[in-house]
């Protein structure tokens, strides 16, 4: 099969990236793997390094760069949002409560998708809202599986404890009662990317009067199933 796009420099750059997919390579290794002339392979690898598509390891060998991971994460987010709408709508209909999807951004979490309860008293979190990582079941989920140092930092000033996050990891879901806002309860579960890293939290929230002081008993199963559908969609992609 002809892999030529007709744009020679892009085809050669793609050859370099494909060669590095197999692992670190010296310049001689790149020349051998790609069939490119040594000056061409060097020029392309250095240009790709400038754009962070290629970097070097401790031995000075060429390896795939961090920009590729960033682009992959952005593509994963697009896939997540494309799948989220119907999953959140179904979750809202099953639970009768507002459903949200949150992603972490530094010390904040952002609502990136939502399906509002159609009538009556509800907890409204508009898409684009930024909420703190110090309170709420979604914050617990987004922090619970972090590396120890980041987890410890995240617990400083939080409304929840390390013991609570240990329970979240054991159960696979979190709940909060009046933690983020008085009178509001919520339940959340983790959405995982292909590498099994937690990339988002799916939640339902509403008044304590309906969700009770044990909202997980009512809705944990539905939340976990919704999170599982989103996780599966990301893994298929």
């Amino acid at each position: 099969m002809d892999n030529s796009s007709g744009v020679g420099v892009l085809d050669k750059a793609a050859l370099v990236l494909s060669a590095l997919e197999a692992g670190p390579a010296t310049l001689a290794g790149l020349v051998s793997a790609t069939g490119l002339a040594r000056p061409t392979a060097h020029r392309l690898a250095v240009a790709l390094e400038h754009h962070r598509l290629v970097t070097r390891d401790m031995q000075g060998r060429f390896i795939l760069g961090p920009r590729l991971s960033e682009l992959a994460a952005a593509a994963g987010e697009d896939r997540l949002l494309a799948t989220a709408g119907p999953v959140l709508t179904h979750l809202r209909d099953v639970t009768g409560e507002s459903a949200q999807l949150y992603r972490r951004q530094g010390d904040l979490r952002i609502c990136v998708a939502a399906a509002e309860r159609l009538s009556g008293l509800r907890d409204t979190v508009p898409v684009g809202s930024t909420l703190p990582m110090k309170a709420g079941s979604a914050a617990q989920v987004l922090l619970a599986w972090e590396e120890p140092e980041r987890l410890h930092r995240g617990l400083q000033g939080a409304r929840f404890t390390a013991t609570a996050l240990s329970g979240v990891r054991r159960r696979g879901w979190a709940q909060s009662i009046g933690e983020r806002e008085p009178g509001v309860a919520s339940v959340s579960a983790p959405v995982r990317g292909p590498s099994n890293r937690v990339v988002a939290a799916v939640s339902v929230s509403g008044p304590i009067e309906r969700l009770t002081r044990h909202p997980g008993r009512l809705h944990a199963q539905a939340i976990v199933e919704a999170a599982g559908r989103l996780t599966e969609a990301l893994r298929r992609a």
Side-chain angles (χ1 to χ4, degrees):
M1 186 178 73
D2 185 10
N3 287 325
S4 172
S5 69
V7 183
V9 68
L10 285 181
D11 291 339
K12 290 172 183 174
L15 277 177
V16 171
L17 294 173
S18 295
L20 294 178
E21 188 179 1
T26 61
L27 179 56
L30 277 183
V31 169
S32 173
T34 62
L36 296 171
R38 187 181 179 92
T40 302
H42 182 260
R43 187 172 67 252
L44 286 171
V46 170
L48 290 167
E49 187 177 13
H50 175 77
H51 290 287
R52 299 173 61 242
L53 294 163
V54 164
T55 188
R56 314 262 186 140
D57 67 8
M58 296 291 286
Q59 286 77 46
R61 297 173 299 180
F62 294 104
I63 58 174
L64 294 175
R67 183 65 184 137
L68 293 168
S69 297
E70 293 164 6
L71 291 169
E77 181 171 345
D78 288 345
R79 287 194 295 270
L80 180 61
L81 294 182
T83 310
V87 172
L88 291 181
T89 299
H90 178 73
L91 181 59
R92 177 200 64 195
D93 294 345
V94 166
T95 62
E97 302 296 343
S98 298
Q100 305 91 24
L101 182 70
Y102 295 97
R103 290 181 69 95
R104 181 172 184 176
Q105 192 169 80
D107 293 329
L108 298 170
R109 54 185 168 106
I110 299 175
C111 179
V112 295
E116 295 296 342
R117 191 173 194 265
L118 299 177
S119 63
L121 189 61
R122 57 186 180 269
D123 179 39
T124 300
V125 183
V127 172
S129 297
T130 56
L131 300 173
M133 280 288 296
K134 300 299 184 184
S137 62
Q140 294 177 38
V141 162
L142 291 170
L143 188 61
W145 284 272
E146 284 283 12
E147 295 170 355
E149 184 181 328
R150 198 171 184 190
L151 191 152
H152 179 72
R153 245 190 352 260
L155 280 169
Q156 294 171 12
R159 297 282 303 277
F160 44 79
T161 64
T163 302
L165 295 189
S166 176
V168 171
R169 289 190 295 274
R170 186 178 66 252
R171 291 191 307 266
W173 53 269
Q175 65 179 4
S176 69
I177 303 97
E179 198 173 272
R180 170 174 64 83
E181 191 176 326
V184 173
S186 67
V187 189
S188 299
V191 178
R192 296 178 181 274
S195 64
N196 209 39
R197 187 174 64 87
V198 174
V199 297
V202 62
S203 305
V204 294
S205 59
I208 292 174
E209 286 85 348
R210 278 201 309 268
L211 272 74
T212 76
R213 300 197 71 81
H214 301 282
R217 290 181 187 171
L218 292 177
H219 298 311
Q221 184 176 347
I223 302 290
V224 169
E225 287 174 359
R229 282 197 289 276
L230 291 172
T231 295
E232 184 58 32
L234 288 181
R235 288 178 176 168
R236 281 200 309 271

